[in-house]
Amino acid sequence: MASTTYTVKGMTCGHCVQAVSTEVGRVAGVTAVQVDLEHGAVTVTSDGPADEQAVRAAVDEAGYEVVGSRA
């Protein structure tokens, strides 16, 4: 299992949380997505290292922007 936390810009409400969770949850290998709205943090848990480009694309598809990440 691997876990990476991304800082996401622009999330302001419950709909934002749902949109990001849904899109990132569709990335291959992702097993869980936790969103901390207050801090703009999205923690992605996956079977192995998640494809960072795919996670960034999923966040973008939801309408938001990844501005940083840490393992």
Side-chain angles (χ1 to χ4, degrees):
M1 294 287 254
S3 185
T4 304
T5 300
Y6 298 88
T7 303
V8 176
K9 180 177 161 183
M11 296 187 302
T12 60
C13 65
H15 175 265
C16 303
V17 170
Q18 184 62 36
V20 170
S21 296
T22 298
E23 291 299 330
V24 174
R26 293 179 177 154
V27 173
V30 170
T31 57
V33 180
Q34 291 183 307
V35 179
D36 179 345
L37 182 60
E38 182 178 349
H39 296 102
V42 177
T43 301
V44 178
T45 304
S46 53
D47 294 328
D51 180 346
E52 184 169 343
Q53 288 303 100
V55 172
R56 286 176 178 268
V59 171
D60 184 63
E61 180 66 28
Y64 307 98
E65 178 185 4
V66 173
V67 293
S69 65
R70 67 183 187 284

